[in-house]
Amino acid sequence: MLSRKRLRLIAIVWMICLTVVSLQPYRPRGESHSEAHRILHVIAFGVPALMLLALARGLKQQWAAALTIVCLALAIETAQHLIYGNTFEWWDVRDDVIGLLIAVLLNRWKPCRAGC
């Protein structure tokens, strides 16, 4: 069992690592349209969503957790677009939101609260 403090730290580190990896300059050719890439997006954003939902106390904090994940996805894609001049990858945001929705469904089906 994880304490709230430890789970919060893991979620923060996960999101920082996700941002760093997403913004690094190496881009494998053709990788961004593969099924593996889509699955990685679902997992990479679904896991922190589950952590933030577990930390949430009440509906308002659950909404804030969901909004945090959506804003992170949009911020990363916007930064990639501005830094590398590529097209804005809405399909990546879609896959990130799918990960969030799976996390929400899992949280509704089997709620887990940090420190319980």
Side-chain angles (χ1 to χ4, degrees):
M1 174 149 345
L2 290 173
S3 67
R4 292 181 63 76
K5 185 176 180 179
R6 185 157 298 186
L7 184 59
R8 186 177 303 113
L9 179 62
I10 292 169
I12 290 168
V13 169
W14 183 289
M15 290 186 287
I16 289 170
C17 290
L18 177 60
T19 303
V20 169
V21 168
S22 296
L23 296 180
Q24 56 84 23
Y26 174 69
R27 297 277 175 252
R29 284 196 156 305
E31 179 268 340
S32 66
H33 297 292
S34 69
E35 287 300 313
H37 181 82
R38 291 190 67 195
I39 292 168
L40 281 174
H41 268 270
V42 170
I43 293 168
F45 285 84
V47 169
L50 273 174
M51 289 187 262
L52 294 179
L53 290 168
L55 289 166
R57 292 183 174 152
L59 193 56
K60 281 185 182 180
Q61 287 187 2
Q62 289 178 358
W63 276 99
L67 185 59
T68 298
I69 297 299
V70 172
C71 288
L72 178 63
L74 289 169
I76 288 172
E77 292 304 328
T78 300
Q80 287 177 341
H81 169 68
L82 294 174
I83 293 169
Y84 302 114
N86 56 357
T87 59
F88 190 92
E89 297 175 334
W90 284 106
W91 51 89
D92 281 351
V93 175
R94 174 203 59 207
D95 296 337
D96 303 339
V97 171
I98 289 170
L100 167 63
L101 293 174
I102 291 170
V104 168
L105 289 173
L106 287 172
N107 189 58
R108 295 279 182 211
W109 176 59
K110 184 79 170 157
C112 176
R113 300 289 169 244
C116 54

